[in-house]
Amino acid sequence: MIRWVYAFVDRPSEEVKRAAEFWAAVTGATGVSPWRGDGGEFATLLPADGDPWVKLQGVAAGPGGVHLDLAVADVRETVDLAVKAGADVVAEHGEWTVLRSPGGMLFCAVPFHGESRRPEPVDGSRLDQVAIDLPADAYPAEVEFWSALTGWEVLTGSRPEFTVVRGPAGLPVRLLLHRLDAARPTGAHLDLACADRRATRAAHERLGAEFVAEHAHWIVMRDPAGGTYCLTARDPITGSLA
């Protein structure tokens, strides 16, 4: 049912164009599409090869975050399946629909337009994962929800608090569900698979990102628009932990 997946970078309206410049450089995009929407709040990164898979949205309130666009053959069928699996409809926009998962993750069901070519890694890294950070009490239902909605393979991650929801080969983005120890609202961030995460960190710092913290297999960064993301020690070709 899900033919393509977009990672949607949400940042404050006054910072979103700065975010677009940074993420275009990180992903090797040749540029940014014209801004569109009622308030000129949406744009798409244009990759040098393959089909687009990263979009941006300027948000009027709050720090922003990340959401998913699921490109599907039949939006109505997908919405019905999502609601049956536990999602709520947030807003209808004609051809596309905004929904909220049981754990509070926003996502959209949008029409599929023939996207099929996954862009190659850029300078040893690839933006390939949206991590959904969940309070412990919401985690089991969220795993069940995304398994039911996507029909994808569900795998235990490298740590017991991680579950990977991995689609068919060729899709540009997979999901990582992360069970949090601390009680905080559901959120999401981007993950990049890096052949050398410390070299990638240095490259991103030259583009204006800031180092936040380093863990055993990932480095937490903050982009120039204030959004956090991670550089992970996963193979940018396979997505598996190196």
Side-chain angles (χ1 to χ4, degrees), residues 31-111:
V32 181
S33 74
W35 291 84
R36 59 189 182 275
D38 293 341
E41 67 270 36
F42 300 116
T44 302
L45 300 188
L46 306 175
D49 70 275
D51 290 311
W53 85 111
V54 182
K55 297 182 179 182
L56 298 106
Q57 177 180 5
V59 297
V66 173
H67 75 269
L68 294 162
D69 267 13
L70 307 180
V72 298
D74 188 322
V75 170
R76 186 71 261 162
E77 182 181 2
T78 302
V79 170
D80 290 345
L81 177 60
V83 170
K84 184 178 180 181
D88 294 319
V89 173
V90 175
E92 299 274 6
H93 293 278
E95 288 190 337
W96 55 283
T97 300
V98 183
L99 300 109
R100 181 181 291 108
S101 74
M105 175 70 180
L106 289 174
F107 65 100
C108 298
V110 304

Side-chain angles (χ1 to χ4, degrees), residues 7-12 16 19 23 55-59 61-68 105-106 130-131 133 186-190 223 225-229:
F8 229 116
V9 183
D10 304 318
R11 296 292 184 264
V16 69
W23 287 105
K55 297 182 179 182
L56 298 106
Q57 177 180 5
V59 297
V66 173
H67 75 269
L68 294 162
M105 175 70 180
L106 289 174
V130 168
D133 302 309
T186 295
H189 65 269
L190 300 175
D223 72 22
T228 56
Y229 66 98

